[in-house]
């Protein structure tokens, strides 16, 4: 794997770098947020290890900038902050996985392998059309009729799930697992708030909402 390590704590960065090099991976190290953003934007890394508390730009800011720019490289967020609220914040910003310091290198390596094995988001169809709504995964574009709809990364991912399963019910659990990689319920309105913002943008200027709410069940997108 070609791996970017964005970590300002030199002993931690050296430990991780040494372990990855021993396993035969190619490694690039940076020690601040601007460097991480620049490197991850310019080079095709397989995985990024991103410390949350970086100087210049913190890990959350780096993540949001990368996802807004359409960079979908898997990101493992490292942090000393381990509360559920902190985990939610990191995953909402676009992280694919989350590891709390201190950690065992064996666990880090296993998580990196899992992220690398995860199927690419562009496997299979890259363009979906449901009624007058079109979603293009490669261009990261959404159009309704002749209008461009600008969505944030999580909003885009929610709409993608609805369009992949057009005519079928998408449950809250399915959103949590596919969009946030949560395998637990954070007991917040994270799904509902993001979906509401996405629907507002999608329906602005139109008299029909293609997304049906099935209370207590989930959501369904149709062309009718």
């Amino acid at each position: 794997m070609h791996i970017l390590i964005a970590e300002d704590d030199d002993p931690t960065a050296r430990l991780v770098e040494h372990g990855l090099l021993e396993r035969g991976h190619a490694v690039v190290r940076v020690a601040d947020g601007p460097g991480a953003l620049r490197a991850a934007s310019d080079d095709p890394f397989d995985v990024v290890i991103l410390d949350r508390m970086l100087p210049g730009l913190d890990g959350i800011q780096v993540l949001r900038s990368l996802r807004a720019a359409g960079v979908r490289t898997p990101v493992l967020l490292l942090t000393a902050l381990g509360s559920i609220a902190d985990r939610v914040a990191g995953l909402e910003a676009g992280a694919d996985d989350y590891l709390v310091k201190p950690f065992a290198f064996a666990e880090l390596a296993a998580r990196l392998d899992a992220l690398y094995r995860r199927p690419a988001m562009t496997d299979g169809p890259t363009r979906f059309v449901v009624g007058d709504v079109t979603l293009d995964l490669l261009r990261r574009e959404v159009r309704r009729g002749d209008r461009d709809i600008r969505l944030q990364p999580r909003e885009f991912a929610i709409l993608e799930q609805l369009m992949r399963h057009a005519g079928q019910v998408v449950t809250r659990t399915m959103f949590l697992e596919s969009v946030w990689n949560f395998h637990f319920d954070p007991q917040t309105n994270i799904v509902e708030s993001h979906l509401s913002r996405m629907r507002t943008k999608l329906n602005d200027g139109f008299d029909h909402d293609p997304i049906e709410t099935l209370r207590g069940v989930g959501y369904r997108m149709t062309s009718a």
Side-chain angles (χ1 to χ4, degrees):
M1 281 187 284
H2 186 39
I3 301 172
L4 173 65
I5 303 172
E7 170 64 71
D8 66 322
D9 180 69
D10 191 60
T12 299
R14 285 179 180 273
L15 174 68
V16 172
E17 180 182 30
H18 178 72
L20 293 175
L21 289 173
E22 280 197 333
R23 288 172 174 254
H25 301 302
V27 178
V28 173
R29 274 179 57 190
V30 296
D32 59 36
L37 180 58
R38 201 160 42 243
S41 298
D42 293 343
D43 294 334
F45 290 98
D46 294 309
V47 183
V48 174
I49 301 170
L50 181 65
D51 182 49
R52 177 161 178 167
M53 305 299 287
L54 289 172
L57 286 173
D58 68 28
I60 298 296
Q61 293 172 302
V62 172
L63 263 173
R64 286 176 176 154
S65 297
L66 289 174
R67 297 314 189 214
V71 177
R72 305 194 73 173
T73 305
V75 173
L76 173 65
L77 194 66
L78 299 180
T79 182
L81 307 173
S83 72
I84 288 180
D86 291 315
R87 291 170 63 188
V88 169
L91 293 166
E92 274 197 308
D96 296 274
D97 201 355
Y98 202 100
L99 190 57
V100 177
K101 298 177 180 179
F103 55 85
F105 177 78
E107 182 179 3
L108 171 70
R111 288 174 180 266
L112 293 177
D113 288 342
L115 289 177
Y116 182 63
R117 291 194 304 266
R118 186 177 296 175
M121 294 299 290
T122 54
D123 285 355
T126 60
R127 188 172 182 271
F128 299 90
V129 179
V130 180
D132 60 354
V133 181
T134 302
L135 182 145
D136 190 314
L137 287 175
L138 298 182
R139 295 178 178 273
R140 302 292 295 172
E141 292 178 348
V142 174
R143 293 183 64 83
R144 183 165 187 188
D146 59 356
R147 295 179 57 182
D148 291 321
I149 311 294
R150 300 183 65 85
L151 300 179
Q152 294 299 312
R154 295 296 185 189
E155 298 164 357
F156 186 98
I158 286 173
L159 181 60
E160 177 187 341
Q161 287 303 306
L162 287 164
M163 296 184 72
R164 280 183 182 275
H165 299 88
Q168 304 172 24
V169 175
V170 181
T171 67
R172 172 184 169 83
T173 298
M174 291 169 67
F175 282 127
L176 288 171
E177 291 183 348
S178 62
V179 178
W180 282 271
N181 195 33
F182 283 9
H183 298 287
F184 65 97
D185 190 334
Q187 301 299 316
T188 69
N189 66 344
I190 185 174
V191 171
E192 292 76 11
S193 61
H194 279 74
L195 199 144
S196 176
R197 287 196 293 269
M198 183 273 288
R199 289 171 88 169
T200 296
K201 295 175 183 179
L202 188 68
N203 296 324
D204 185 28
F206 296 88
D207 58 8
H208 168 65
D209 184 353
I211 301 169
E212 180 184 4
T213 300
L214 303 171
R215 298 197 179 280
V217 180
Y219 303 87
R220 179 170 54 205
M221 187 167 182
T222 65
S223 57

